[in-house]
Amino acid sequence: MFQKGLKGVTAVQTKIASVDGEKGELRYRGKEVDEAIQGKSFEEVAYFLWHGHNASEQELKELKSQLHKHRQIPVHISETAKLLPREASLMDGLRTLISAYSHDDFTRLPIEEQAIALTAAFPVLTALLFRLKLKEDFIEPRSDLSHTANYLWMINGKLPTEAQTEALETYLKLTMEHGMNASTFAARVTISTESDLTSAITSAIGTMKGPLHGGAPSGVIDLLEEINVPEQIESIILKKLENGEKIMGFGHRIYRTEDPRSIILREKCLALQGADPWLDLAVAAEKEIIRLLNQHKPGRALYTNVEFYAAAIMRSIAMAPILFTPTFSAARIVGWTAHAMEQQQDNVIFRPQSEYIGV
C-alpha cells in the first residue's frame, strides 16, 4: 500500500499521548490534557510523561535537583557556541550544541538522566545563543528559580512576573507532547537504529526547524499588533475577510473542533485578565473574530488554534520572534525523549518500502 507522507498509516503503538482531531481531544498518558497539567508544574508534567505516573514528593525533589545540576553547560559546549556564525539561526545552533553531548561520559549515563540533562540544557543553550546573537553577556542560570522562570531570567536578565511565568508555563506544558508529529517520528526513527539519545534529539530539532512543522506564530502577532486596541477588531477583520485574506490563528490541520490546548490557554488568559494588556486584547479579539467568521463563512467551523494564544503569550512577555520555535522545542523535547525511551523498550528499526516509478 502506498500512502504519500504516510498520512493515516499507523507505525507506532504508544502509551504516551493520543490526539483525536474529530473530538478535539489531547490526552497525556490517558488523561485529558487539562486534567494532566492542572495544578502541576513543568517539572511535574515532564515526570508524568516520562514515567507514566505522578512524582512523589521525593521523586520530584530528585528531578528538580537533576534539572538544576544540568543547567550548568559543559565548557566544550559553551566554547563551541562562541565559534558558531552569528548569522546562523538559533535552531541551527541548538542542533549543533545538542549534538556535542554525544560523548562517552554522557552516553554512559542512564537514558532517563540523559533525557533530564537535555531538557534542562535546552533553554539554557537557547538563552546562550540568543545573548551571543545580541552581542550581550551570558546570564548565569539561577538554582532558586523554576524551569520556566529561569528560562525567562536568562533571556531577559530580569525576574519575570508571576503572570508571565504562569502564562508561558501553561503553554510549555500544553506543547510538550502531541502524538506522532514529524519531529517525534524523526526522533523515533533515529533511536530505532540503536543510535544514541542525543542523535535522536538532533534529528528532531532538524525536523522542527522546518516551517511546515515548527513555524512561529508571528502572523498572529502581526495581526494583534495591527488591531492594537479592541475598538479596531471589527473593522480590521472585516477588511481582511472582504479581501479574502487568511485570519491567522484560526483553523488546524488535525482538529475539526476547538483545539483543546487553545481552550486551556484562553482560560489562563482570562484568569490573568488585567495582568497584561496583550492577553486582554487576545481574549477580546478571539471572541469578535469567531463571531465574524461564523457570520461571513458559515459552515466552515473555524476555531482558534494553539498558535493564537501562544502568540499573545509570547507578545506579552516581549519574547523576540527568533525565540518562538526554540521555545516550542524546549517544551517538545520532553515528548521527544519520552518517545525515544519508549522506542528502546520494544524496538524494531523503521524500514518502510518505496515504490519505484521511474522509467
Side-chain angles (χ1 to χ4, degrees), residues 61-358:
K61 182 180 178 181
E62 290 173 3
L63 172 60
K64 288 181 177 179
S65 176
Q66 285 192 308
L67 286 168
H68 292 160
K69 169 187 168 184
H70 289 293
R71 285 178 188 172
Q72 300 303 319
I73 302 303
V75 174
H76 77 278
I77 291 178
S78 58
E79 290 300 313
T80 299
K82 296 173 187 175
L83 298 174
L84 296 175
R86 190 165 280 118
E87 63 271 17
S89 74
L90 294 186
M91 291 299 283
D92 286 333
L94 286 162
R95 185 183 57 210
T96 299
L97 297 185
I98 289 292
S99 71
Y101 276 85
S102 280
H103 55 85
D104 288 347
D105 287 346
F106 187 79
T107 55
R108 277 196 291 262
L109 294 173
I111 192 170
E112 293 84 359
E113 186 172 351
Q114 292 180 47
I116 293 168
L118 295 177
T119 300
F122 204 95
V124 178
L125 295 174
T126 300
L128 169 62
L129 291 167
F130 179 62
R131 303 286 295 184
L132 284 170
K133 190 174 278 289
L134 297 181
K135 300 182 182 179
E136 294 182 358
D137 291 338
F138 176 64
I139 297 170
E140 292 291 335
R142 288 177 49 161
S143 61
D144 61 322
L145 297 177
S146 70
H147 187 81
T148 304
N150 182 67
Y151 179 43
L152 291 171
W153 156 254
M154 294 190 70
I155 288 169
N156 300 318
K158 59 183 180 181
L159 290 174
T161 65
E162 188 175 334
Q164 289 172 332
T165 302
E166 273 190 49
L168 181 59
E169 183 147 294
T170 302
Y171 168 73
L172 295 177
K173 291 185 294 186
L174 287 169
T175 51
M176 282 182 181
E177 168 59 11
H178 203 243
M180 197 48 52
N181 53 81
S183 56
T184 298
F185 181 60
R188 289 192 78 132
V189 169
T190 301
I191 206 79
S192 80
T193 68
E194 296 189 356
S195 187
D196 56 287
L197 183 63
T198 50
S199 295
I201 301 309
T202 301
S203 295
I205 294 168
T207 308
M208 178 68 87
K209 179 190 171 188
L212 291 183
H213 182 28
S218 52
V220 183
I221 288 185
D222 292 342
L223 175 64
L224 291 174
E225 289 186 338
E226 183 180 354
I227 291 171
N228 194 42
V229 292
E231 292 74 20
Q232 295 195 119
I233 298 171
E234 183 174 14
S235 61
I236 287 174
I237 298 304
L238 282 175
K239 185 177 178 181
K240 289 182 180 298
L241 289 172
E242 288 167 5
N243 293 337
E245 295 179 45
K246 177 177 171 59
I247 309 300
M248 303 302 292
F250 293 80
H252 195 278
R253 287 192 302 273
I254 295 175
Y255 294 110
R256 296 295 173 260
T257 180
E258 278 198 278
D259 184 335
R261 299 168 298 175
S262 69
I263 295 171
I264 297 168
L265 286 176
R266 180 198 304 130
E267 289 172 353
K268 176 56 65 176
C269 291
L270 284 167
L272 295 172
Q273 269 193 314
D276 185 275
W278 282 97
L279 301 182
D280 295 348
L281 178 63
V283 171
E286 183 203 28
K287 185 176 180 180
E288 183 64 8
I289 292 169
I290 289 289
R291 183 184 73 80
L292 293 170
L293 285 172
N294 287 337
Q295 188 179 96
H296 290 264
K297 296 179 181 289
R300 289 285 301 278
L302 293 172
Y303 297 97
T304 319
N305 60 42
V306 72
E307 284 191 353
F308 182 83
Y309 278 107
I313 287 168
M314 301 299 189
R315 181 62 179 79
S316 75
I317 58 180
M319 184 170 279
I322 61 171
L323 287 166
F324 291 171
T325 304
T327 301
F328 181 13
S329 304
R332 187 56 59 82
I333 193 172
V334 175
W336 294 337
T337 50
H339 276 272
M341 288 188 283
E342 185 179 64
Q343 181 68 34
Q344 279 195 338
Q345 291 165 9
D346 184 23
N347 187 51
V348 174
I349 189 172
F350 285 88
R351 183 61 175 87
Q353 298 296 313
S354 60
E355 179 181 358
Y356 178 71
I357 57 170

Side-chain angles (χ1 to χ4, degrees), residues 10-26:
T10 300
V12 167
Q13 291 182 319
T14 181
K15 295 179 180 179
I16 299 169
S18 61
V19 182
D20 189 322
E22 296 299 324
K23 294 180 180 179
E25 285 184 356
L26 169 61

